[in-house]
Amino acid sequence: MYLFTLLGNLLIMGTIWREHSLHTPMYLFLCALSISEILFTVVVTPRMLEDMLSSHRSITFVACANQMFFSFTFGFTHSFLLMIMGYDRYVAICHPLRYNVLMSPRDCARLVSCCWAGGSVMGMMVTLIVFHLTFCRSNKIYHFACHVLALLKLTCGKETASVTMVVIMICVTALLGCLFLIVLSYVFIVAAILRIPSAEGRHKTFSTCVSHLTIVVVHYGFASIIYLKPKGPHSMDSNTLMATTYTVFTPFLSPIIFSLRNKELKNAIQRSFRRKFSSLSS
């Protein structure tokens, strides 16, 4: 699954790079999304696989802080990229005549840079807040990664409860803020699609949004399992399993969804393979 995630996202990036017909803002954002998923997977999954195969499971304080920073950075960046991909679909469908002006290469590069900068700031903020606390309990984390909620259980002091609430509110606010803007974009998109007179035109227009919308549902569905689950007794294994769905399955499913649901990308991948096989056979 780890190798498939890497190869699938690399295949999408390579196809977009080679196919000039895919050099559009939508696929630029998709390429940036694949990069964030590769980096997110590299930060979390190898360590998880190492712990599964090793009897000596430990991580240094600095390594734990680094893992948390990068996982939050790439996780938030992923959400921000999904948000601007929704904005891109909104501009393409609701303002098609102004699309080339509003989504110029410079503006697209600026949007992607803002996503990465915002993800880095959010990752640094959460990491500094957590590691500013005092750790005075057992140094064992019953989790496959330095997950923030697992770490907060090891802290002590009067401010622990308030800091825990602040961290959760930061994560939930960022995720729900991005989700709100994505939903708002699709409200305008659906309204514009319903004004198209022909059923074929409505279907063709909506088909350009299906892959992005599916990824949004998968991403926020798994994220809600982590941050919005009801309070109650949960075993360590169940908590780890729920976290695995978000950190492993989301990057794994993303290249599958885009390569199967996006007709233009699927055709480009098929053309690339045909050219590759024809060059090898000649």
Side-chain angles (χ1 to χ4, degrees), residues 26 85-99 103 185-196 201-210:
M26 180 175 70
M85 289 175 76
Y87 172 71
D88 171 74
R89 292 298 84 208
Y90 159 74
V91 175
I93 294 173
C94 299
H95 303 283
L97 299 180
R98 300 179 58 195
Y99 182 78
M103 303 301 292
S185 297
Y186 274 99
V187 169
F188 290 107
I189 288 172
V190 171
I193 291 175
L194 292 177
R195 289 195 295 268
I196 299 175
R202 290 193 296 269
H203 179 269
K204 183 178 180 180
T205 303
F206 185 73
S207 64
T208 63
C209 306
V210 171

Side-chain angles (χ1 to χ4, degrees), residues 104-116:
S104 65
R106 179 179 295 181
D107 290 332
C108 292
R110 188 180 294 117
L111 286 172
V112 172
S113 299
C114 289
C115 289
W116 283 101

Side-chain angles (χ1 to χ4, degrees), residues 132 148 175 187 197 248 251 272:
H132 179 71
V148 60
L175 288 172
V187 169
V248 177
S272 297

Side-chain angles (χ1 to χ4, degrees), residues 6-39:
L6 295 180
L7 293 176
N9 282 291
L10 287 173
L11 176 62
I12 290 176
M13 292 169 55
T15 302
I16 294 174
W17 178 266
R18 289 192 301 268
E19 295 290 332
H20 292 286
S21 61
L22 300 182
H23 291 179
T24 62
M26 180 175 70
Y27 292 104
L28 168 66
F29 298 144
L30 176 56
C31 188
L33 189 73
S34 294
I35 293 173
S36 71
E37 289 180 341
I38 289 175
L39 295 176

Side-chain angles (χ1 to χ4, degrees), residues 31-179:
C31 188
L33 189 73
S34 294
I35 293 173
S36 71
E37 289 180 341
I38 289 175
L39 295 176
F40 184 80
T41 303
V42 168
V43 167
V44 176
T45 308
R47 182 76 199 188
M48 179 183 69
L49 295 175
E50 180 183 345
D51 287 345
M52 290 173 61
L53 299 175
S54 174
S55 57
H56 181 67
R57 302 172 182 176
S58 64
I59 187 171
T60 64
F61 186 84
V62 175
C64 184
N66 287 332
Q67 186 187 65
M68 177 177 291
F69 166 70
F70 286 115
S71 62
F72 270 106
T73 294
F74 302 138
F76 280 121
T77 300
H78 191 276
S79 297
F80 296 151
L81 287 170
L82 288 176
M83 180 181 65
I84 64 170
M85 289 175 76
Y87 172 71
D88 171 74
R89 292 298 84 208
Y90 159 74
V91 175
I93 294 173
C94 299
H95 303 283
L97 299 180
R98 300 179 58 195
Y99 182 78
N100 291 332
V101 176
L102 295 175
M103 303 301 292
S104 65
R106 179 179 295 181
D107 290 332
C108 292
R110 188 180 294 117
L111 286 172
V112 172
S113 299
C114 289
C115 289
W116 283 101
S120 300
V121 171
M122 296 294 289
M124 180 63 70
M125 184 189 305
V126 173
T127 304
L128 289 177
I129 290 174
V130 172
F131 282 90
H132 179 71
L133 295 172
T134 301
F135 294 87
C136 57
R137 300 178 187 177
S138 170
N139 60 356
K140 292 182 180 180
I141 301 176
Y142 296 100
H143 204 280
F144 66 84
C146 290
H147 192 264
V148 60
L149 297 180
L151 276 173
L152 288 172
K153 294 179 180 179
L154 307 182
T155 61
C156 59
K158 297 180 180 179
E159 73 277 11
T160 298
S162 59
V163 170
T164 301
M165 184 59 63
V166 168
V167 171
I168 294 176
M169 288 301 298
I170 290 174
C171 296
V172 172
T173 301
L175 288 172
L176 292 183
C178 293
L179 180 60

